[in-house]
């Protein structure tokens, strides 16, 4: 009963009553002898989608949609009264209703429909909204009626004055088709942009085209080609480009055979993921079998991918524009953390801090080959890894990436605006001529006045808990955890990195103490940054194994016991006790591997949880520590200045004008 549900859930009885009403309508739909116009209209007025009706009737969604359209049961679109009935509202801000009269005004200009990114969540955030907004603004300026479809009131794209028309609708195939139908009746429609809103609209591309909706820019077939490993692998092979070895497994035995063939460590993940969900790096058979057992949805149609993991490789992100003949390299970003950390969680620098001109040239050649082979028209994001002297292609995404706003601001180039015009037929040469893009060169051109930009991910771990109330682990890996990003700008890396840390987590400490506990595989690389901290006056604490290595390298160390060992008989504290006592200013912890007298995974989690509780900065990669040391040195020199982004942009423009570019 409603009363029992209220006692169990404490949901207001009014809402429970509405849910009961929907359930009653659903039962009526399920048992009715046939789908009539009145029955479908009843279902729609109670919020049932075509997909829900199809499941109730054991039909396909396409059949239900076809019957509904044949019976003339389609929504109309009403206008939100933004003036609260005080005077006539003319804001073209629409919502659907199964009413009788539409309020969509006729028009004469060709319309371009832009699909937004939907609700913000990890893996798909506000960065994609930036690209959608820029597309709406520039296409309006160039003679198109811009129509935004999005359902997130927290975005700029759903501001009433961003686009010429706004439809506040879910980003589902059913709803987008109805908006397209309404706009087709209102006037000519040039096409629909699906490349700018992230993975949500991208997944609708093929179904929209199959329904007769024109998709502008990169075709749905090209989008699928980039995601389909076999076809994409052939493009790489034709252009003599290298990708990490991989295989697809439908069982633990398959996965083990692939792992033994390509060698550990391997990266395992489900076939289709957003934000790296479900990814893990595994180093042995037991870990791999454990992953397969946890991944309960493995089928021949949904295999697990097993990739060779490029340990200690430099990961590189590229954003570029391609018009079918010319490539414009927007920016080449070098990740500070090594490959294996999700690109959305890794800090990165632009321009790259350790890549030479020759490497950037190889990246340019590979990017153009992939863009041409896939058939890109607009933006493409490619992730590379450099291991030794071998450049690997990790993946290509023929869409706007979450780094587009960062690259655009760092290089003073409106990449999303340029991409939207390329999708509608403009060429890079034309965009160079009208000043949208640089007249010569591109985002990799060296400018004395250009800043070194550092992007840092924001991960508010102190707000995240698991279902049982435990802190979410701060250890970075292939599964994305960040909820946003910031950028630091300066002429040198150390200062720019320090600014990015101040913007995301607060200043890194310039004095005090550092606790160090690193996996065996990281000890060699950790010596020099830890020794530098000691030279800067930091007191160094470490667990026994790490302390032995540091002492051999002339670093004075105080040993703390692991949490799983408990306090010593002589009163020696555990790591967590020292953190809770406020004696640790900075933590460096990479808990991978095995050791005697402790459990690195469990010890590491307890250390990082204590760090969250006590608000102590915690670094979990060697590369992150090296960058932090440079930031600490910059802060100690005290030469941080604040400068508006507009001043950096003005300086770059003046230098380009002076050089004739």
């Amino acid at each position: 009963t409603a009363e029992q549900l209220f006692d169990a859930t404490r949901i207001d009885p009014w809402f429970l009553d509405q849910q009961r009403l929907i359930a009653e309508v659903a039962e009526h739909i399920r048992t009715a002898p046939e789908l009539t116009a009145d029955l479908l209209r009843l279902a729609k007025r109670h919020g049932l989608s075509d997909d829900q009706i199809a499941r109730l009737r054991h039909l396909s969604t396409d059949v239900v949609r076809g019957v509904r359209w044949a019976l003339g049961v389609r929504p109309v679109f009403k206008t939100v009264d933004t003036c609260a009935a005080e005077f006539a509202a003319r804001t073209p801000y629409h919502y659907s209703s199964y009413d009788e009269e539409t309020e969509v005004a006729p028009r004469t200009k060709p319309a371009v429909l832009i699909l937004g990114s939907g609700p913000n969540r990890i893996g798909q955030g506000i960065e994609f909204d930036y690209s959608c907004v820029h597309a709406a603004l520039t296409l309006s300026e160039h003679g198109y009626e811009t129509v935004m479809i999005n359902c997130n009131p927290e975005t700029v794209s759903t501001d009433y004055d961003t686009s010429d028309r706004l439809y506040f609708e879910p980003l589902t195939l059913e709803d987008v088709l109805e908006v397209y139908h309404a706009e087709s009746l209102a006037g000519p429609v040039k096409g629909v942009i699906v490349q700018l809103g992230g993975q949500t609209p991208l997944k609708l591309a093929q179904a929209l085209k199959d329904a007769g909706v024109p998709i502008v820019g990169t075709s749905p077939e090209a989008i699928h080609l980039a995601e389909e490993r076999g076809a994409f692998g052939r493009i790489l092979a034709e252009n003599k480009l290298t990708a990490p070895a991989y295989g697809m497994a439908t069982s633990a035995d398959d996965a083990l055979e692939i792992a033994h063939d390509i060698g550990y460590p391997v990266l395992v993940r489900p076939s289709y993921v957003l934000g790296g969900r479900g990814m893990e790096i595994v180093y042995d058979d037991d870990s791999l079998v454990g992953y397969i057992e946890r991944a309960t949805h493995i089928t021949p149609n949904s295999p697990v991918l097993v990739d060779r993991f490029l340990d200690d490789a430099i990961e590189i992100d590229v954003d570029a524009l391609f018009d079918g003949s010319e490539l414009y390299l927007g920016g080449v970003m070098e990740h500070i953390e090594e490959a294996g950390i999700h690109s959305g969680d890794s800090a990165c620098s632009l321009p790259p801090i350790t890549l030479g001109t020759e490497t950037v040239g190889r990246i340019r050649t590979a990017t153009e080959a992939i863009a041409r082979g896939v058939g890109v028209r607009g933006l493409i994001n490619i992730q590379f890894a450099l291991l030794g002297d071998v450049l690997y292609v990790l993946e290509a995404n023929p869409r706007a990436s979450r780094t587009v706003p960062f690259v655009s601001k760092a290089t003073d180039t409106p990449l999303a605006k340029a991409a939207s015009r390329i999708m509608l037929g403009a060429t890079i040469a034309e965009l160079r001529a009208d000043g949208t893009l640089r007249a010569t060169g591109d985002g990799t051109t060296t400018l004395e006045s250009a800043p070194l930009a550092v992007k840092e991910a924001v991960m508010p771990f102190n707000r995240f808990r698991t279902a049982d109330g435990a802190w979410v682990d701060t250890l970075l890996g292939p599964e994305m955890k960040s909820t946003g990003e910031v950028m630091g700008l300066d002429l040198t890396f150390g200062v720019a990195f320090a600014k990015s840390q101040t913007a995301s987590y607060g200043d890194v400490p310039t004095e005090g103490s550092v606790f160090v506990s690193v996996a065996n595989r990281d000890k060699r690389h950790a010596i020099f940054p830890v020794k530098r901290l000691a030279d800067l006056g930091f007191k160094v604490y470490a667990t026994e194994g790490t302390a032995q290595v540091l002492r051999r390298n002339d670093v004075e160390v105080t040993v703390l016991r692991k949490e799983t060992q408990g306090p010593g008989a002589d009163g020696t504290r555990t790591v967590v006790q020292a953190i809770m006592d406020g004696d640790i200013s900075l933590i460096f912890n990479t808990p991978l591997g095995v050791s005697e007298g402790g459990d690195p995974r469990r010890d590491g989690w307890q250390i990082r949880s204590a760090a969250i509780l006590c608000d102590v900065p915690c670094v979990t990669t060697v590369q992150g520590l090296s960058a932090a040391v440079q930031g600490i040195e910059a802060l100690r020199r005290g030469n941080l200045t604040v400068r508006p982004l507009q001043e950096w942009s003005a300086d770059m423009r003046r230098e380009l004008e002076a050089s004739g570019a």
Side-chain angles (χ1 to χ4, degrees):
T1 65
E3 291 75 17
Q4 291 171 323
L5 283 171
F6 174 73
D7 290 338
T9 65
R10 292 297 165 182
I11 296 174
D12 189 286
W14 186 88
F15 291 104
L16 293 173
D17 184 61
Q18 297 303 304
Q19 291 174 337
R20 180 189 292 274
L21 176 60
I22 293 170
E24 290 171 355
V25 172
E27 180 62 17
H28 185 34
I29 299 296
R30 188 183 69 80
T31 57
E34 62 176 335
L35 288 177
T36 64
D38 289 341
L39 191 64
L40 284 168
R41 194 167 282 107
L42 175 71
K44 288 299 176 183
R45 285 178 172 171
H46 285 83
L48 295 179
S49 67
D50 287 345
D51 183 57
Q52 289 170 316
I53 295 170
R55 277 182 280 160
L56 288 168
R57 300 288 300 189
H58 302 291
L59 299 170
S60 73
T61 304
D62 290 341
V63 167
V64 171
R65 184 181 302 117
V67 170
R68 180 169 61 79
W69 286 359
L71 294 174
V73 180
R74 305 192 77 142
V76 296
F77 290 89
K78 299 295 186 180
T79 303
V80 174
D81 185 359
T82 54
C83 300
E86 291 191 23
F87 49 89
R90 302 187 183 278
T91 309
Y93 188 168
H94 300 301
Y95 64 95
S96 61
S97 171
Y98 277 83
D99 208 336
E100 300 299 327
E101 184 179 354
T102 187
E103 295 177 3
V104 177
R107 53 176 168 74
T108 56
K109 288 196 295 183
V112 176
L113 277 62
I114 302 169
L115 303 192
S117 55
N120 290 345
R121 64 270 198 204
I122 291 176
Q124 183 150 329
I126 202 69
E127 299 90 348
F128 295 106
D129 199 64
Y130 171 97
S131 295
C132 294
V133 169
H134 277 228
L137 296 175
T138 195
L139 292 179
S140 288
E141 293 171 0
H142 286 83
Y144 294 99
E145 189 99 354
T146 54
V147 180
M148 185 70 66
I149 307 175
N150 205 358
C151 57
N152 188 348
E154 296 179 334
T155 59
V156 179
S157 66
T158 51
D159 285 356
Y160 69 90
D161 56 353
T162 295
S163 54
D164 296 311
R165 301 189 187 203
L166 169 65
Y167 287 84
F168 200 82
E169 295 293 316
L171 287 161
T172 67
L173 179 63
E174 176 182 342
D175 294 287
V176 173
L177 285 175
E178 295 298 352
V179 172
Y180 173 74
H181 174 70
E183 283 296 326
S184 298
L185 297 177
V189 176
K190 180 69 174 178
V192 176
I193 292 177
V194 299
Q195 280 179 267
L196 303 180
Q199 204 66 24
T200 299
L202 212 64
K203 288 179 177 178
L204 298 177
Q206 190 63 57
L208 287 171
K209 184 175 182 180
D210 292 344
V213 177
I215 305 296
V216 297
T218 304
S219 70
E221 291 79 10
I223 292 168
H224 177 72
L225 189 156
E227 293 179 343
E228 206 279 301
R229 286 205 160 201
F232 186 64
R234 287 191 289 274
I235 291 175
L236 298 183
E238 288 167 4
N239 291 281
K240 297 181 172 57
L241 299 174
T242 306
Y246 76 94
M248 291 193 234
T250 57
S251 67
D253 289 341
D254 286 350
L256 287 169
E257 183 178 345
I258 294 165
H260 294 160
D261 184 42
I262 64 180
Y264 286 108
V266 294
L267 179 69
V268 288
R269 57 179 171 143
S271 306
Y272 297 97
V273 295
L274 176 67
R277 286 186 300 187
M279 286 190 184
E280 281 187 27
I281 300 165
V282 298
Y283 290 82
D284 53 47
D285 286 356
D286 289 343
S287 300
L288 181 56
V289 172
Y291 176 88
I292 298 297
E293 289 173 351
R294 293 193 303 275
T296 55
H297 299 297
I298 298 177
T299 67
N301 293 326
S302 300
V304 163
L305 302 179
V306 183
D307 294 79
R308 178 191 169 198
F309 175 60
L310 303 174
D311 223 357
D312 293 325
I314 299 170
E315 190 159 342
I316 301 158
D317 241 317
V318 172
D319 282 322
L321 298 165
F322 191 67
D323 63 4
S325 60
E326 184 179 357
L327 180 82
Y328 186 96
L329 210 53
V332 175
M333 293 153 278
E334 178 181 345
H335 288 211
I336 292 169
E337 286 81 11
E338 64 185 15
I341 306 300
H342 192 280
S343 61
D345 287 350
S346 177
C348 70
S349 70
L350 191 161
I353 53 175
T354 68
L355 304 182
T357 304
E358 184 270 339
T359 301
V360 173
R362 290 165 60 196
I363 291 169
R364 178 190 303 280
T365 301
T367 301
E368 181 168 352
I370 292 169
R372 192 180 300 278
V374 170
V376 170
R377 296 296 183 274
L379 276 162
I380 183 170
N381 171 263
I382 304 177
Q383 291 173 28
F384 296 95
L386 186 66
L387 182 61
D389 206 31
V390 180
L391 185 68
Y392 291 89
V393 180
L394 300 183
E395 65 176 341
N397 297 298
R399 57 166 172 82
S401 72
R402 62 177 61 83
T403 51
V404 164
F406 170 69
V407 176
S408 298
K409 292 176 182 181
T411 63
D412 187 40
T413 305
L415 293 178
K417 289 184 177 182
S420 61
R421 291 183 57 195
I422 290 170
M423 292 178 204
L424 271 300
T427 65
I428 288 174
E430 291 169 349
L431 297 175
R432 290 185 187 276
D434 69 15
T436 302
L437 299 176
R438 293 177 180 177
T440 60
D442 53 26
T444 65
T445 303
T446 302
L447 298 175
E448 292 294 325
S449 58
L452 192 149
V454 173
K455 173 187 79 77
E456 179 59 283
V458 176
M459 289 168 277
F461 289 115
N462 57 348
R463 299 183 184 183
F464 293 162
R465 299 288 189 101
T466 61
D468 60 0
W471 295 108
V472 169
D473 197 346
T474 63
L475 183 65
L476 299 180
E479 184 167 354
M480 186 172 169
K481 297 179 179 179
S482 74
T483 57
E485 57 191 33
V486 298
M487 66 188 292
L489 298 171
D490 211 279
L491 292 173
T492 61
F493 173 76
V495 179
F497 184 81
K499 288 181 176 180
S500 73
Q501 300 309 294
T502 299
S504 55
Y505 305 110
D507 291 336
V508 288
T510 56
E511 59 183 9
S513 59
V514 57
F515 168 74
V516 183
S517 178
V518 294
N520 292 329
R521 59 188 287 271
D522 294 322
K523 285 185 169 71
R524 175 185 296 224
H525 303 295
I527 291 168
F528 290 106
V530 174
K531 187 172 176 58
R532 180 58 184 150
L533 287 174
D535 292 342
L536 289 170
F538 279 78
K539 182 174 182 179
V540 180
Y541 292 93
T543 49
E544 184 61 44
T546 303
Q548 289 177 4
V549 174
L550 293 175
R551 283 173 180 150
R552 292 176 197 142
N553 288 273
D554 199 27
V555 177
E556 187 177 331
V557 187
T558 300
V559 173
L560 293 173
R561 291 173 65 84
K562 298 175 182 179
E563 187 64 18
T564 48
Q565 294 173 326
D570 59 354
T572 304
R573 292 180 297 173
T574 66
V575 180
V576 172
Q577 285 175 325
I579 296 169
M580 301 298 285
D581 290 343
D583 292 336
I584 306 296
S585 311
L586 177 66
I587 296 169
F588 173 47
N589 176 232
T590 64
L592 295 175
V594 294
S595 69
E596 293 183 9
D599 179 342
R601 271 284 173 191
R602 185 178 171 197
D603 285 319
W605 176 79
Q606 291 172 327
I607 291 166
R608 295 186 297 275
S609 295
I612 295 171
L613 190 63
C614 297
D615 201 22
V616 177
C618 183
V619 181
T620 60
T621 65
V622 175
Q623 296 80 6
L625 179 65
S626 298
V629 170
Q630 291 192 55
I632 289 169
E633 290 174 326
L635 289 172
R636 285 170 70 106
R637 287 193 297 268
N639 57 353
L640 267 69
T641 57
V642 177
R643 194 176 185 213
L645 180 65
Q646 290 81 356
E647 288 186 13
W648 289 108
S649 298
D651 284 355
M652 285 188 278
R653 289 173 196 165
R654 279 192 290 268
E655 184 176 345
L656 287 168
E657 290 169 3
S659 65

